[in-house]
Amino acid sequence: MSRKFFVGGNWKLNGDKKSLGELMDTMNAAKVDPNVEVVCGAPSIYLDFVRSKLDAKFGVAAQNCYKVAKGAFTGEISPVMIKDCGVNWVILGHSERRHVFGESDELIGQKTAHALESGLCVIACIGEKLDEREGGITEKVVFAQTKVIADNVKDWSKVVLAYEPVWAIGTGKTASPQQAQEVHDKLREWLKANVSEAVASSVRIIYGGSVTGATCKELASQKDVDGFLVGGASLKPEIIEIINAKL
């Protein structure tokens, strides 16, 4: 079955109302491939602002959320708050959450379950570190991360899996199209064996890790690469080129 190409922009801890406003003006005015689903991951303090300013054809995501709806959890935001801002997506399990902020597989699984139960769609991130790739345990690592996510998903139509090799995020190193395709193919095999053939063929697996206008076309041509999670380039007009990678 055909999977709708998906481009997520992860703005991370970047931008202010002026620069993000200019970026959104550029995106709103651009000619973009109508067959691509686009979602912008905004800092939580700007979710309302971004949703009100960005054209309705683009989705908006929070970059994280907590595993409960409300309570004494200073500094956290919940799926119900995200939805109250008109936002329908959340990015969970990003390597920066895992490795900078110490989030465990277990916590990411709990967050995934709660976000989905609350009616959000989830961009669930997985990926190995450089020492893990060099040690030959890429599959072991990404399968273990995927299992914790899969154990918490009932409706896979609400989930996009983002494979982001940690060694390629913000480093300027990109996994070769062949390296990306190989892992995406293995992930699909894992889903077929551990979830179902229908989910394996329908779920979108996107690639993240220094995706640019220069690298996006060849990556997009791989049969199991269903889009991108874009970091730095998503803050530049270059994001339009990446959205249009299949044209």
Side-chain angles (χ1 to χ4, degrees):
M1 65 177 284
S2 75
R3 299 179 292 267
K4 188 170 188 176
F5 205 72
F6 184 100
V7 175
N10 181 7
W11 296 350
K12 305 190 180 182
L13 184 59
N14 291 297
D16 51 29
K17 284 189 175 177
K18 181 173 183 291
S19 64
L20 296 177
E22 288 165 1
L23 175 66
M24 289 187 282
D25 286 342
T26 300
M27 290 182 68
N28 289 345
K31 267 193 71 118
V32 294
D33 185 342
N35 300 311
V36 176
E37 184 169 6
V38 179
V39 174
C40 296
S44 60
I45 199 163
Y46 294 137
L47 286 172
D48 239 337
F49 168 66
V50 171
R51 183 61 287 172
S52 66
K53 192 162 169 61
L54 198 57
D55 192 290
K57 68 175 174 278
F58 300 119
V60 179
Q63 297 174 15
N64 188 29
C65 68
Y66 199 49
K67 63 180 181 179
V68 296
K70 59 178 183 170
F73 302 103
T74 301
E76 292 292 329
I77 63 171
S78 70
V80 70
M81 293 173 174
I82 293 166
K83 288 199 70 173
D84 196 35
C85 293
V87 170
N88 296 319
W89 286 87
V90 64
I91 301 169
L92 291 174
H94 192 278
S95 67
E96 288 148 9
R97 299 303 318 171
R98 294 174 186 269
H99 303 305
V100 180
F101 297 100
E103 292 190 7
S104 65
D105 277 347
E106 183 188 20
L107 176 60
I108 292 158
Q110 292 166 337
K111 289 182 175 195
T112 300
H114 180 62
L116 291 167
E117 283 160 9
S118 305
L120 285 180
C121 298
V122 173
I123 300 169
C125 303
I126 56 177
E128 82 284 5
K129 295 186 291 195
L130 185 59
D131 59 330
E132 293 165 340
R133 175 163 280 269
E134 290 175 342
I137 57 167
T138 293
E139 284 174 38
K140 182 182 169 200
V141 171
V142 298
F143 290 169
Q145 292 171 337
T146 305
K147 182 183 188 317
V148 179
I149 292 160
D151 287 347
N152 288 286
V153 176
K154 294 187 180 78
D155 181 357
W156 280 91
S157 70
K158 303 281 196 292
V159 177
V160 171
L161 268 184
Y163 168 60
E164 294 201 296
V166 181
W167 49 271
I169 298 174
T171 59
K173 289 181 184 169
T174 310
S176 70
Q178 295 72 30
Q179 284 174 316
Q181 167 58 27
E182 185 183 3
V183 177
H184 285 223
D185 179 52
K186 292 280 197 313
L187 281 166
R188 245 180 252 293
E189 285 178 18
W190 186 92
L191 289 165
K192 186 175 171 180
N194 295 277
V195 182
S196 74
E197 191 162 356
V199 166
S201 65
S202 64
V203 75
R204 292 174 292 181
I205 307 176
I206 64 176
Y207 169 78
S210 300
V211 176
T212 64
T215 60
C216 65
K217 273 205 178 326
E218 200 186 347
L219 281 161
S221 71
Q222 305 299 308
K223 76 177 176 69
D224 288 298
V225 175
D226 302 315
F228 307 114
L229 188 56
V230 186
S234 70
L235 291 155
K236 304 171 188 167
E238 185 179 355
I239 188 62
I240 306 303
E241 275 179 77
I242 297 171
I243 293 167
N244 293 335
K246 297 287 265 190
L247 290 179

